[in-house]
Amino acid sequence: MNVLWYMCAPDGAYPWQPEGSRKVDLGYYKQLALAYDQLGYTGALFATGAHDVWVLASALLSYTERMKFLVAIHPGLVAPTLLAKMAATLQEFSRDRLLINVVSGDAKMLGAYGMTMPHDERYDMADEYLQIWHRLFAGETVSHHGKYFQTEGAKLALPVGETIAPPPLWFGGSSDKALDVAAKHVQTYLSWGETPEQIGAKVAAVKAKAAEYGRSLDYGIRLYVIVRDTDAEAWDAASDLYKRMDERAIAANQRFVSKTDSVGQSRMTAMHGGQKPENLRDLEIAPNLWAGIGLVRPGPGTAIVGSPDTVIRTLEAYRKAGVETFILSGMPLLEEAFRFGEKVLPRLDVTRHVAPARNYTWSTLFDRDLSNAKAS
Ligand SMILES: Cc1cc2nc3c(=O)[nH]c(=O)nc-3n(C[C@H](O)[C@H](O)[C@H](O)COP(=O)(O)O)c2cc1C
């Protein structure tokens, strides 16, 4: 299985309030990258936040040896040829540690960049974008005259497909249009932390779509984790967060998410409806899965809460629903990465990066010796 952690501001013990936030700068990101790399996570998700993901990933690359960089892209904000070139470069420099997370954002956020297309059309545009992307990474020279993009003789100069593998495409989006683009183009379909039952239904829907294109995908989920030695201690930690979720923070978040056109967000909001019940366990929407975080945070709003055994049991419930990739986070990112990394990760069968041997292996040296001997 793949287990990734999260790499994005804001962070802190209670990041929705100023006194609970931590300064997230390059020095702190370096600490996160070193921790994830050494603890043995498969990689980290670089989500589109305050810092640019490409600059951030490039800045952290040389501090890491084996973690993968799952870098979010919004199709259409950068010309496909340029973005493919950026990806090929990072893929070469990282020795195949780049993963791309294709996300379609929402109208409000994209409007700031000048993209005013309505929701469903964004996916039509993404479809065309990804067609060009695949051809570039297949090493083709691409002259494309489509509805949204034009290229004349586009070609990646780097040896993609030879010594540089195309970076795998991952994807987040829950609308019908999103499922169709995922089924057609990507390798791994991601969902925010819905219940194992809901994920099972989503996996079945994406599988059915993918079968129409003769394809099969892998599946992943994005969740928070609150792990402590016992279930009671974990729920105490959740309770500590809950107490600090004040009315103002909840109202501000609900205002923010109510303006979105994201189906994925609506599905997350439905888990709590913007209401804070007296008892935090009323937001336990499936065994050990708590929807409280979504009250103050847009996007992924659920956490697995419990002891290491409980957390592993819950991960297993998702695996039974077809999920083999877990993108996790906690508050603060660094401390919870250590807790999970020391209490749970060693008990999981985690996939880690093995760098491709591009230069010398003993056998290439022997072969060279032999051919020199033959030549002389
Ligand atoms: C795991 C995951 C990660 C995501 N990361 C981002 C991100 O970094 N930036 C972003 O704008 N949206 C991100 N999204 C949100 C998608 O863009 C979102 O699902 C989209 O806004 C709405 O699509 P939909 O209406 O098809 O659900 C992510 C979604 C998932 C499931």
Side-chain angles (χ1 to χ4, degrees):
M1 67 202 278
N2 298 306
V3 182
L4 290 84
W5 207 254
Y6 190 61
M7 184 77 82
C8 193
D11 189 30
Y14 317 102
W16 59 90
Q17 50 180 231
E19 55 280 17
S21 293
R22 173 174 284 176
K23 183 173 167 200
V24 179
D25 59 8
L26 184 58
Y28 182 59
Y29 278 126
K30 276 188 211 165
Q31 291 188 52
L32 294 179
L34 285 168
Y36 304 169
D37 207 55
Q38 287 170 5
L39 287 164
Y41 288 96
T42 308
L45 170 62
F46 291 69
T48 60
H51 297 102
D52 178 74
V53 285
W54 292 94
V55 175
L56 180 59
S58 308
L60 297 179
L61 184 59
S62 59
Y63 299 99
T64 64
E65 285 169 12
R66 55 184 183 169
M67 64 169 260
K68 295 202 179 193
F69 292 75
L70 175 56
V71 172
I73 65 159
H74 286 127
L77 285 194
V78 176
T81 314
L82 179 55
L83 197 75
K85 182 176 179 173
M86 290 158 65
T89 306
L90 196 54
Q91 183 72 323
E92 181 188 299
F93 292 175
S94 68
R95 295 168 58 106
D96 291 355
R97 285 192 284 144
L98 178 64
L99 305 164
I100 299 287
N101 196 24
V102 180
V103 291
S104 283
D106 77 3
K108 188 167 157 263
M109 142 195 224
L110 293 170
Y113 295 88
M115 183 181 283
T116 52
M117 265 170 236
H119 178 280
D120 283 7
E121 194 178 355
R122 286 205 301 277
Y123 285 109
D124 294 336
M125 179 271 296
D127 178 18
E128 194 180 317
Y129 194 87
L130 294 174
Q131 288 173 35
I132 299 171
W133 176 279
H134 292 307
R135 291 182 62 196
L136 288 169
F137 273 98
E140 285 183 38
T141 302
V142 183
S143 294
H144 174 94
H145 305 284
K147 181 167 175 197
Y148 302 101
F149 303 102
Q150 314 292 322
T151 65
E152 268 318 320
K155 184 169 170 60
L156 294 174
L158 293 172
V160 286
E162 295 167 34
T163 54
I164 300 175
L169 297 183
W170 294 19
F171 180 99
S174 294
S175 55
D176 288 348
K177 276 282 205 178
L179 266 47
D180 197 57
V181 173
K184 200 168 163 189
H185 288 288
V186 310
Q187 181 178 319
T188 302
Y189 175 82
L190 300 174
S191 176
W192 281 324
E194 299 181 20
T195 65
E197 201 184 334
Q198 289 170 318
I199 293 297
K202 261 181 154 177
V203 167
V206 178
K207 262 190 187 163
K209 282 256 182 217
E212 290 172 24
Y213 297 104
R215 304 187 69 240
S216 70
L217 273 58
D218 300 321
Y219 297 90
I221 190 159
R222 166 81 181 93
L223 288 155
Y224 276 81
V225 176
I226 303 173
V227 64
R228 297 294 183 274
D229 287 335
T230 64
D231 286 343
E233 286 172 65
W235 281 105
D236 282 349
S239 171
D240 177 51
L241 296 177
Y242 201 56
K243 276 187 219 137
R244 291 171 193 260
M245 295 180 184
D246 55 289
E247 264 173 38
R248 245 182 73 199
I250 295 171
N253 186 50
Q254 296 318 303
R255 262 197 313 279
F256 181 78
V257 299
S258 66
K259 291 191 196 120
T260 180
D261 61 357
S262 159
V263 172
Q265 179 62 59
S266 310
R267 289 173 69 104
M268 292 311 291
T269 305
M271 293 178 173
H272 48 71
Q275 301 301 318
K276 184 184 179 192
E278 193 72 24
N279 182 353
L280 82 162
R281 300 291 291 254
D282 289 350
L283 292 179
E284 190 177 356
I285 50 169
N288 322 304
L289 187 68
W290 182 56
I293 289 170
L295 287 171
V296 288
R297 196 234 197 264
T302 48
I304 302 178
V305 183
S307 66
D309 283 348
T310 300
V311 169
I312 288 171
R313 227 179 19 253
T314 313
L315 296 179
E316 282 305 321
Y318 281 111
R319 291 181 92 179
K320 282 205 189 85
V323 170
E324 280 298 324
T325 289
F326 296 89
I327 304 174
L328 306 174
S329 64
M331 291 180 250
L333 287 170
L334 186 61
E335 286 87 332
E336 197 72 31
F338 268 97
R339 254 182 238 118
F340 186 91
E342 290 171 348
K343 292 177 196 289
V344 183
L345 207 56
R347 295 173 55 187
L348 304 175
D349 180 18
V350 178
T351 308
R352 299 197 175 98
H353 178 69
V354 180
R358 287 221 180 100
N359 297 323
Y360 300 115
T361 63
W362 288 116
S363 67
T364 49
L365 289 177
F366 295 152
D367 289 350
R368 205 162 287 166
D369 246 16
L370 283 176
S371 51
N372 285 346
K374 270 189 218 138
S376 59

